[in-house]
Amino acid sequence: MRIFLSFSHLFLSLLAFRGASCQNLIQDTCKACSEQDSNVNLTFCTTSLEAALGTGSASDLHGLGMISMGLVRRNVTDTRFNIKQLLKSKQLDPYVRLCLKDCFDLYSDATLSTKEAMKHYKFQRYIDANFALSSIMDASTTCEQGFHEKSGVVSPLTKRNNDTFELSAMTLSMIYILQSS
Ligand SMILES: *[C@@H]1O[C@H](CO)[C@@H](O)[C@H](O)[C@H]1NC(C)=O
Ligand SMILES: *[C@@H]1O[C@H](CO)[C@@H](O)[C@H](O)[C@H]1NC(C)=O
Ligand SMILES: CC(=O)N[C@H]1CO[C@H](CO)[C@@H](O)[C@@H]1O
């Protein structure tokens, strides 16, 4: 019931703020998402979307979701590239190298999934977009877990995995709200 109320609140706000500044849309959306899903960090959500709007604009929730999706894609692509660079080091601990190889495969698949997710999202095929995004989210947690399975090993990808997880969670939450409207 509380969730339902906050959605209603969001839609009222979105109507009220239509044509007004994007800041309001971001604040209201991130607030609704963080209430809908405890994985969504309100500060992270608003900070990343506000930063992203430097390169785009959104007039409604669907548009904002597309920007969020773009952030997921950028993070995933960048992380895959970073793993590739890390793997070039000759001094890697053998276990860390194994983990990084797994992560490289996971992020390679995730790169394809971001393309899928964007395509489905664009055509409002939210169930398919949700499926693709969930697999990206799983990739980030599976990658991170690998490093934690052996004691004394430090993951070089914790922040990146966290960012990918967070961005996926907030995008999934936006899709959930769009689906329920
Ligand atoms: C939420 O994100 C902000 C900035 O990214 C961070 O400083 C804060 O610790 C996070 N909060 C939680 C509960 O994870
Ligand atoms: C990753 O997320 C976890 C849980 O939200 C948090 O405890 C941790 O501080 C985060 N690490 C980084 C490097 O952001
Ligand atoms: C590596 C990378 O691109 N990280 C970015 C992931 O997304 C967050 C939020 O937009 C950025 O703060 C990171 O720089």
Side-chain angles (χ1 to χ4, degrees):
M1 195 56 195
R2 192 168 146 263
I3 286 170
F4 176 76
L5 284 176
S6 60
F7 286 166
S8 313
H9 170 77
L10 173 73
F11 295 127
L12 289 178
S13 308
L14 295 187
L15 286 178
F17 289 126
R18 197 201 301 249
S21 88
C22 279
Q23 301 316 69
N24 294 323
L25 178 65
I26 292 175
Q27 299 283 345
D28 289 346
T29 303
C30 287
K31 190 162 179 296
C33 289
S34 64
E35 283 168 9
Q36 187 263 322
D37 180 356
S38 60
N39 281 324
V40 177
N41 174 327
L42 179 61
T43 315
F44 181 90
C45 180
T46 50
T47 313
S48 32
L49 289 175
E50 275 165 11
L53 273 176
T55 56
S57 65
S59 54
D60 60 13
L61 183 55
H62 187 267
L64 195 61
M66 193 48 117
I67 288 171
S68 190
M69 197 77 86
L71 291 177
V72 175
R73 184 173 66 173
R74 198 189 62 184
N75 266 39
V76 167
T77 312
D78 198 271
T79 300
R80 181 179 176 276
F81 181 76
N82 179 250
I83 297 169
K84 204 174 175 177
Q85 299 302 110
L86 290 174
L87 278 168
K88 284 183 182 159
S89 164
K90 302 260 185 297
Q91 277 114 33
L92 278 181
D93 170 89
Y95 183 78
V96 170
R97 181 179 295 280
L98 271 181
C99 291
L100 284 173
K101 279 184 176 161
D102 284 345
C103 291
F104 184 75
D105 291 342
L106 288 163
Y107 272 92
S108 297
D109 289 346
T111 305
L112 299 177
S113 299
T114 55
K115 292 201 183 99
E116 289 290 300
M118 280 189 127
K119 192 179 65 191
H120 291 309
Y121 182 82
K122 198 173 159 194
F123 295 107
Q124 306 190 5
R125 294 193 296 258
Y126 294 135
I127 295 172
D128 295 319
N130 182 312
F131 188 77
L133 266 173
S134 300
S135 77
I136 298 167
M137 205 171 178
D138 288 347
S140 71
T141 51
T142 308
C143 165
E144 187 62 22
Q145 266 162 24
F147 297 99
H148 296 275
E149 268 159 27
K150 192 174 171 192
S151 63
V153 171
V154 176
S155 165
L157 298 172
T158 303
K159 179 164 187 315
R160 287 168 181 274
N161 284 328
N162 262 14
D163 283 354
T164 300
F165 181 89
E166 267 296 323
L167 291 171
S168 308
M170 62 197 233
T171 314
L172 276 170
S173 183
M174 286 182 211
I175 290 176
Y176 183 84
I177 296 173
L178 283 165
Q179 263 180 320
S180 345
S181 65

